[in-house]
Amino acid sequence: MKVQDLDKCAPSSDWNVLYWVLGTILMPVALPLALFNIWKRLKAQKYRNQLPAKVVLITGASSGLGESLAHVFYRAGCKVILAARRTQELERVKKDLLALDVDPAYPPTVLALDLAELNSIPEFVSLVLAVYNQVDILINNGGISVRADVASTAVDVDLKVMVVNYFGSVALTKALLPSMVKRGSGHICFVSSVQGKFAIPQRAAYSASKHAMQAFADSLRAEVANKNINVSCVSPGYIRTQLSLNALTGSGSSYGKMDETTAKGMSPDKLAERILQCILRKEPDIIVSDVQAKIAYYLRHLCPSLYFWIMAKRASKLEKAEKKST
């Protein structure tokens, strides 16, 4: 290589100016963000060291994400209380947890809970508090879904979904909140959905219940901020669970199908780990989803007209597919 060729390889003055401009503009922003992220990680690690022996109540713990959450918090050394309607499945989850090599390990507690039975929730909370006298972390995870358009959905189905997904979590939170306020400590986590951020066709009842949960969490967070109680709202995209299999149709019968989007969803174990991190970092609100759902979220708020057009096209496509299948 000749000397003159070396000059060609050297950065031009234009590039040097560009590098200087980018460095001047971005460095003041990037450096504080990097330092803040490091601080958050150190804070999360400190809190993780305090996790052993924390009492964690998980609803919907008999399968899916709830079961994965049980594993994550049990492995972290927590005293987990597993709640759901199907106590036989809860006992299975408990057995699986006890088979793990964990230190420290506290035997999981199994308690029956039907979120649709609102009047029984105060009694359920009394049983919970009788176990360890407190709950440090409440994870409102239990819920059901619907696969039907608005016109074909019975009002009773709308009501059932709202009771289980919203009012059940509200009642449980309200029943536990006084004990947290009295102790001046606690963390309440609501497992919502990206459909609580924006709505899509044939999910009206489900999406409405998650929008309500989002609003409740936001209001509660502000009200307990000065009481050392943290509130997180987690909005995941599709999760690879049996949610669609257990979903209701417009008439209230079982949907009984595995949706393609659900089958290709994220691992519940991966999401459970992210929720643990959310609680450790005391993050108020997070979206855990693929790029497509995040684009829909931003479109809904930044370019609503385009979002509405896309949703109308999607609704038409779903209607045609349904007619074809019948």
Side-chain angles (χ1 to χ4, degrees), residues 194-265:
V194 291
Q195 292 176 41
K197 300 284 191 181
F198 59 86
I200 63 174
Q202 299 200 358
R203 301 289 190 279
Y206 178 77
S207 186
S209 69
K210 293 302 184 179
H211 272 73
M213 175 179 277
Q214 176 76 55
F216 181 83
D218 289 348
S219 294
L220 177 63
R221 185 184 303 111
E223 293 172 10
V224 299
N226 63 346
K227 297 176 176 61
N228 197 35
I229 297 172
N230 296 284
V231 176
S232 298
C233 190
V234 179
S235 300
Y238 292 109
I239 316 168
R240 197 163 59 248
T241 66
Q242 295 185 344
L243 183 68
S244 66
L245 285 171
N246 298 327
L248 301 176
T249 64
S251 64
S253 60
S254 176
Y255 181 70
K257 301 175 185 177
M258 175 61 76
D259 289 339
E260 184 180 354
T261 50
T262 302
K264 294 180 178 179

Side-chain angles (χ1 to χ4, degrees), residues 37-56:
N37 190 47
I38 292 172
W39 174 77
K40 283 179 67 177
R41 287 178 180 273
L42 291 174
K43 189 176 180 181
Q45 185 58 47
K46 179 182 177 182
Y47 188 59
R48 191 183 188 102
N49 295 335
Q50 299 172 353
L51 265 183
K54 292 286 186 182
V55 181
V56 183

Side-chain angles (χ1 to χ4, degrees), residues 85-271:
R85 288 183 300 109
R86 300 177 297 167
T87 54
Q88 188 174 351
E89 286 300 301
L90 290 177
E91 291 293 346
R92 176 188 61 78
V93 175
K94 177 180 178 178
K95 184 179 178 181
D96 291 343
L97 295 180
L98 291 173
L100 299 175
D101 184 13
V102 174
D103 184 31
Y106 301 93
T109 301
V110 167
L111 291 175
L113 170 65
D114 188 346
L115 289 169
E117 299 295 332
L118 300 181
N119 293 331
S120 68
I121 289 179
E123 182 183 352
F124 167 79
V125 169
S126 296
L127 294 175
V128 168
L129 295 177
V131 180
Y132 294 115
N133 297 316
Q134 67 187 59
V135 170
D136 298 294
I137 301 171
L138 165 62
I139 304 181
N140 287 302
N141 170 70
I144 56 176
S145 187
V146 179
R147 300 292 190 270
D149 61 7
V150 172
S152 64
T153 302
V155 174
D156 286 345
V157 173
D158 290 299
L159 183 61
K160 182 175 182 178
V161 174
M162 190 63 76
V163 168
V164 173
N165 289 5
Y166 174 65
F167 286 111
S169 294
V170 167
L172 180 56
T173 299
K174 287 189 173 186
L176 267 176
L177 190 58
S179 65
M180 289 185 173
V181 172
K182 185 177 180 180
R183 289 172 43 244
S185 176
H187 197 130
I188 301 168
C189 178
F190 295 90
V191 179
S192 182
S193 166
V194 291
Q195 292 176 41
K197 300 284 191 181
F198 59 86
I200 63 174
Q202 299 200 358
R203 301 289 190 279
Y206 178 77
S207 186
S209 69
K210 293 302 184 179
H211 272 73
M213 175 179 277
Q214 176 76 55
F216 181 83
D218 289 348
S219 294
L220 177 63
R221 185 184 303 111
E223 293 172 10
V224 299
N226 63 346
K227 297 176 176 61
N228 197 35
I229 297 172
N230 296 284
V231 176
S232 298
C233 190
V234 179
S235 300
Y238 292 109
I239 316 168
R240 197 163 59 248
T241 66
Q242 295 185 344
L243 183 68
S244 66
L245 285 171
N246 298 327
L248 301 176
T249 64
S251 64
S253 60
S254 176
Y255 181 70
K257 301 175 185 177
M258 175 61 76
D259 289 339
E260 184 180 354
T261 50
T262 302
K264 294 180 178 179
M266 77 183 81
S267 161
D269 294 340
K270 182 179 179 180
L271 178 57

